[in-house]
Amino acid sequence: MIRRFLAGLIAVLLSGCSSVSYYSQLASGQWQLLRARESVAEVIADPARPQGLREHLVQSQKARTFASEHLHLPDNQSYRLCADIGRPYVVWNVFATQEFSLSPENHCFPIAGCVAYRGYYSQGAARGEAALLRQQGMDVSIGGVEAYSTLGWFNDPIISSMLHWGDERLATLIFHELAHQRFYVKDDTEFNESFASFVEQEGTRQWRASRGLAPVSDAALQQRDQFIRLILDTRKRLETLYAQPLAREAMRQAKAAEFERLRLEYQQMRDSQWGGDKRYDAWINQPMNNARLLPFGLYDQWVPAFAALFRQEGGDWVRFYQAVRALGGLASQERKIRLRQLMNEYQGMDAQSTFDASRYK
């Protein structure tokens, strides 16, 4: 049945595509992932499997149950299956922008709608696409992805690429990906990823509390939030710069100066406020361009708005999802206006809330 359904899905995809080879690798990669699935319960019960793997999966199933029973995320076979893919990432996403723009080059699909990247199941294929885009003068970035959601079309497995982190990181991935199954708006990557990121973050807070664990260190949260704010501030300055009527060479020099300012401000913040903690050094010291900044705008832009909405609904997940659905049903511009209103409301929140609002500041 899966084979027949997949064949029909491939036919739909191919009927509207401009690159048969690209969609073929998508279909092939997804099919291989489906074939690799096996029951988590059976792996846990198999004494021949590594003990560490079995214990890791036991904890994952506790988080999976919590996701449905307490976070009201879909109760299906997703993440009650697992799959070994033998590589560190399931796909590699290629992000691209014009040289003087922070708008992503979107790619549209019949089911998922338009998204701000192209995914490849082969790192080599992703690098090949990136090289072609660079030849066209674009800013390009490649990011490995541990997991993705098929939006409920298939029962998504716990992929071996998700198992390199600890138990809590695995739980957060499950919460994030199930959120995409709970609600998804075509053609609005920022909305979808910010929504899933909020569910992931608040779900993780509640998951820790349910097990009697202390909240994640305020210092660690503050560092993460300060780093994200640094990137978002740089994005704003670049957007202002790119709107100026400058000659191309002058624009390139000003662009390079903004990225150098980002590095300098990061170093100052790291040394003066973080006690020299170098957790973000590897990222900040890589070659910089517009495309590398894209995920920050996509995954974090509206998280405070969803935090405000969650508070408005009294921390009730069912009411929150209903409110998210109503928000997602608005026309694109109306939705953005409402999200900005929620952002403003969030700014006025006091420190006390039905959830830990301080983690989003």
Side-chain angles (χ1 to χ4, degrees), residues 75-270:
D75 188 6
N76 52 32
Q77 286 301 303
S78 288
Y79 310 109
R80 294 187 172 104
L81 304 168
C82 58
D84 187 349
I85 59 173
R87 57 182 186 270
Y89 299 107
V90 60
V91 293
W92 286 262
N93 285 341
V94 179
F95 296 88
T97 72
Q98 296 295 325
E99 184 179 7
F100 304 126
S101 172
L102 284 165
S103 297
E105 294 292 305
N106 285 328
H107 304 277
C108 299
F109 306 90
I111 295 171
C114 297
V115 296
Y117 47 80
R118 257 191 161 190
Y120 291 85
Y121 284 88
S122 161
Q123 187 178 26
R127 288 174 172 171
E129 172 69 7
L132 291 174
L133 292 171
R134 289 190 186 99
Q135 288 179 0
Q136 298 172 29
M138 293 187 181
D139 281 13
V140 184
S141 177
I142 301 174
V145 177
E146 301 157 323
Y148 65 84
S149 173
T150 59
L151 308 181
W153 282 84
F154 303 105
N155 288 317
D156 297 318
I158 295 173
I159 311 170
S160 54
S161 54
M162 300 167 65
L163 296 173
H164 300 297
W165 299 81
D167 293 333
E168 185 163 303
R169 173 57 178 157
L170 179 54
T172 68
L173 285 172
I174 291 172
F175 300 158
H176 185 105
E177 301 306 334
L178 283 174
H180 285 311
Q181 290 190 23
R182 191 67 167 77
F183 189 70
Y184 184 88
V185 178
K186 289 185 68 172
D187 305 335
D188 197 335
T189 303
E190 293 92 341
F191 182 94
N192 295 322
E193 294 300 346
S194 294
F195 163 65
S197 291
F198 170 76
V199 173
E200 168 192 330
Q201 292 170 16
E202 174 59 15
T204 300
R205 189 198 68 79
Q206 294 187 12
W207 171 233
R208 290 183 64 87
S210 72
R211 294 176 293 150
L213 299 178
V216 176
S217 162
D218 286 343
L221 291 174
Q222 185 178 28
Q223 286 182 16
R224 182 203 65 189
D225 294 343
Q226 286 177 333
F227 182 72
I228 291 173
R229 175 49 51 193
L230 194 65
I231 302 300
L232 294 180
D233 287 347
T234 301
R235 282 173 54 94
K236 288 181 180 179
R237 291 197 303 270
L238 286 169
E239 287 171 346
T240 300
L241 170 64
Y242 296 152
Q244 302 302 311
L246 297 178
R248 295 186 69 83
E249 190 53 40
M251 185 74 81
R252 287 193 183 103
Q253 292 177 6
K255 174 183 175 181
E258 285 296 347
F259 284 127
E260 189 57 34
R261 174 179 173 178
L262 169 61
R263 289 193 177 95
L264 179 61
E265 290 182 347
Y266 165 77
Q267 291 168 3
Q268 292 173 341
M269 184 169 63
R270 179 198 65 193

